[in-house]
Amino acid sequence: MIDISESVMQFLLAFLVVGPLLGAAAALLPAPPGLKGKSPEQAVLRHGVTVTGAVLAAAIVLALGFDHSRPATMQATTDISWIPALDVRIHLGTDGISLPLLVLTALLTFLSALYSYFKPPAGPSPKAFVALLLVLESGTLATFAVLDLVLFFLAFETVLIPMYFLIARWGGEGRAEAALKFILYTLLGSVVMLLGLLLIGIKAGTFDMVALATDNGRSLTASVQVIAVLAIGIGLAVKTPMWPLHSWLPDAHTAAPTVGSVLLAGILLKMGTYGFVRILLPAAPDGFRTFAPYLAAFAVVGIVYGSLACLALAGRGANGDLKRLIAYSSVGHMGFVLLGIATMTPTGVNGALFANIAHGLITGLLFFLVGALKDRTGSTDLDTLARPSADHRPATSGSAAPEHSETGAALYGRAPRLGGLLAFAAVASLGLPGLAGFWGEMLALFGAFDPAAGLSRPAFLTFMAIGAFGTLLTAAYLLIVVRRVCMGAAPQDAPRLTDVRAYEFAAWTPLVVLTVVAGLWPKALLGLTDPAVQQLLTGGTR
């Protein structure tokens, strides 16, 4: 770690929030003649890479300057009065809970911009695409950096419009309907959430999230906490997404362009679970305890439901879409995050935060890989990708035609590096020990084994058993996908596919490396989150 003054840390965090907005405004301006390169389109795409690269560099320096001996303390704080009449303040800061999410957001947005520079999505002018990408980055970074309930809501809502247009203008088939469904679901959830946030702020006399966490619900009556948790929880659950409020997600992922799916799964879904940890757990603990068993129940139903939906899509003849399958897998994976939060224990909440980061890395990589497959084959339909090799073997003289023996589309042989990466991402997603996906799910189940005081242990033991069964279903459908797409002998007439290109290697390598590092060295994340979680759960008294 490096020693950086507090004023520089404040500037870095402010730059993370404001820098992408300034970059978005600049992207809409004409490119200077000396920077146009081959075309204005290339210039604006290069501008997107430059701005997101600068934001990533600032996030890395912020992480290096962060005092890791005090991860429970808010650092790089800025606190300026904004609306005195309502006591709304421009309050920014980061601790061990939000810092990993800030770095993940900056990383995935940079990799998406880099990928788009070499493989722009089909659609209108790149100017609007880059500007929307940067506004989306600013909104997500602000969500993880602000410490005021009103600012949190504004940042939370900022991401909706750019994601709507990214799906509606640069998406694939069914993009208009998917984008409309996305915006309607999330806006309706947000309206209810706003009422809950205002209720907490007015009744507690402050919108400051640090003060609310320190107060630990002591200034709120039990009924106010219950109403606030219900209202805010609905809005956060839609964004997470929690079953049964998830139905917007598969359509949005299926229709979104590749980088849209990467950012939606890798970053936007984390905003909902972050709100549960940052706002509801510390500010309304009694109200949260009332709903925790129901949250856990919905979470484990989502785990099993998502896995069964993926199994149905993975089957032969189901006309399953690989992007849709990965979207349903997110419902299951985020179920583990919600289960960990519902335990209200340090073990479970740390597992939830770890699973958040792991899901962002692994599912982001999966959507990149599926986008590459679609570029090469023209389809994400599993039956098309996994053609039965027997179809290409003529029957020998005097013998019956061979049965359809589906041994896979032989991606290992046709594009070995691409096939190997797809298999790696699949086994990471199913929670193979030694990779990032393992620790979060395991800790969430451990948290359910011994939930917080006041929660029914028999109920949570049941939830733990159902969640553990969900891990088996997860392994089943992901291994089926690998078998169908990657394995087998390639038909003689099957063309060889282009293997991993240089820009794809550059965009995907950081995700692979971090998935391995987080799996082998979980303390790198847990050492940051655990002290901060301990303090949140005890009202800042630790």
Side-chain angles (χ1 to χ4, degrees):
M1 302 303 110
I2 56 178
D3 185 20
I4 300 178
S5 67
E6 182 65 16
S7 60
V8 174
M9 293 285 283
Q10 291 172 346
F11 170 79
L12 289 171
L13 187 58
F15 175 73
L16 289 184
V17 175
V18 178
L21 280 180
L22 299 177
L28 298 175
L29 300 174
L35 298 178
K36 284 185 178 180
K38 295 180 180 178
S39 66
E41 288 76 15
Q42 186 191 51
V44 74
L45 290 169
R46 186 171 60 245
H47 170 77
V49 176
T50 303
V51 174
T52 56
V55 171
L56 175 60
I60 292 172
V61 175
L62 181 72
L64 292 174
F66 187 83
D67 186 350
H68 289 249
S69 65
R70 301 183 300 116
T73 303
M74 282 294 171
Q75 301 178 37
T77 55
T78 299
D79 192 1
I80 303 171
S81 179
W82 184 36
I83 308 176
L86 298 176
D87 195 28
V88 176
R89 309 182 69 81
I90 299 176
H91 192 181
L92 306 177
T94 185
D95 63 356
I97 292 173
S98 56
L99 182 65
L101 290 165
L102 290 171
V103 177
L104 176 68
T105 300
L107 174 65
L108 284 178
T109 311
F110 169 70
L111 298 181
S112 296
L114 180 66
Y115 186 87
S116 299
Y117 176 75
F118 293 97
K119 187 69 179 178
S125 163
K127 274 181 174 287
F129 173 81
V130 171
L132 290 169
L133 190 71
L134 292 172
V135 172
L136 183 71
E137 180 180 35
S138 178
T140 49
L141 287 168
T143 301
F144 301 134
V146 298
L147 297 172
D148 183 278
L149 292 181
V150 176
L151 283 184
F152 176 85
F153 176 78
L154 294 177
F156 199 87
E157 294 302 287
T158 298
V159 305
L160 300 184
I161 300 303
M163 181 52 72
Y164 169 81
F165 281 109
L166 285 175
I167 297 172
R169 302 296 299 277
W170 286 272
E173 186 178 352
R175 60 183 181 270
E177 295 82 0
L180 183 61
K181 199 172 184 179
F182 163 77
I183 198 77
L184 286 178
Y185 264 76
T186 48
L187 276 178
L188 288 173
S190 297
V191 169
V192 182
M193 184 177 75
L194 176 61
L195 297 177
L197 293 173
L198 292 175
L199 177 64
I200 285 182
I202 292 170
K203 292 295 184 179
T206 180
F207 290 100
D208 187 89
M209 290 155 67
V210 176
L212 289 168
T214 304
D215 182 67
N216 204 221
R218 285 183 283 270
S219 61
L220 300 174
T221 64
S223 58
V224 167
Q225 290 192 37
V226 167
I227 296 171
V229 169
L230 180 61
I232 298 171
I234 289 173
L236 297 175
V238 170
K239 185 63 71 75
T240 297
M242 180 187 77
W243 180 92
L245 303 175
H246 69 284
S247 58
W248 61 270
L249 183 71
D251 291 338
H253 270 309
T254 304
T258 296
V259 297
S261 293
V262 169
L263 296 175
L264 182 58
I267 302 173
L268 266 66
L269 303 190
K270 313 302 175 281
M271 294 164 60
T273 52
Y274 174 78
F276 277 108
V277 175
R278 177 64 77 196
I279 299 173
L280 292 186
L281 268 179
D286 294 335
F288 193 91
R289 189 174 288 105
T290 300
F291 288 104
Y294 303 101
L295 179 63
F298 284 127
V300 296
V301 170
I303 291 169
V304 175
Y305 170 83
S307 299
L308 291 176
C310 290
L311 275 173
L313 290 170
R316 183 178 169 193
N319 295 318
D321 186 282
L322 191 51
K323 284 187 75 175
R324 195 174 191 85
L325 183 147
I326 298 171
Y328 272 111
S329 78
S330 292
V331 176
H333 288 307
M334 299 310 290
F336 282 103
V337 177
L338 291 173
L339 176 62
I341 295 170
T343 67
M344 300 185 71
T345 62
T347 301
V349 176
N350 276 303
L353 295 172
F354 198 103
N356 256 346
I357 301 299
H359 179 265
L361 296 171
I362 296 167
T363 307
L365 177 60
L366 276 169
F367 276 117
F368 270 134
L369 292 167
V370 174
L373 267 179
K374 185 174 184 180
D375 291 339
R376 289 157 170 79
T377 64
S379 176
T380 55
D381 180 77
L382 266 171
D383 290 332
T384 301
L385 293 172
R387 291 177 297 172
S389 57
D391 287 351
H392 298 269
R393 296 196 303 268
T396 59
S397 177
S399 66
E403 296 180 0
H404 290 278
S405 174
E406 190 161 312
T407 55
L411 194 59
Y412 288 151
R414 300 170 68 194
R417 294 182 182 86
L418 187 61
L421 281 171
L422 182 62
F424 169 84
V427 297
S429 185
L430 64 83
L432 184 73
L435 298 177
F438 172 73
W439 295 106
E441 295 181 2
M442 185 196 71
L443 290 172
L445 294 176
F446 278 2
F449 180 76
D450 188 17
L455 299 178
S456 169
R457 192 173 184 221
F460 274 83
L461 285 174
T462 304
F463 299 147
M464 182 192 73
I466 297 172
F469 175 66
T471 63
L472 299 178
L473 296 177
T474 302
Y477 71 74
L478 285 168
L479 292 176
I480 289 172
V481 168
V482 171
R483 177 177 61 83
R484 295 190 70 198
V485 177
C486 297
M487 300 173 69
Q492 291 183 354
D493 63 342
R496 189 171 181 85
L497 298 176
T498 304
D499 214 337
V500 179
R501 301 180 177 96
Y503 71 88
E504 292 171 333
F505 182 82
W508 303 342
T509 297
L511 302 179
V512 174
V513 171
L514 289 173
T515 298
V516 175
V517 170
L520 296 177
W521 191 31
K523 185 181 177 182
L525 271 177
L526 296 175
L528 278 173
T529 61
D530 184 54
V533 167
Q534 297 272 5
Q535 181 160 301
L536 275 184
L537 293 176
T538 55
T541 59
R542 185 179 181 275

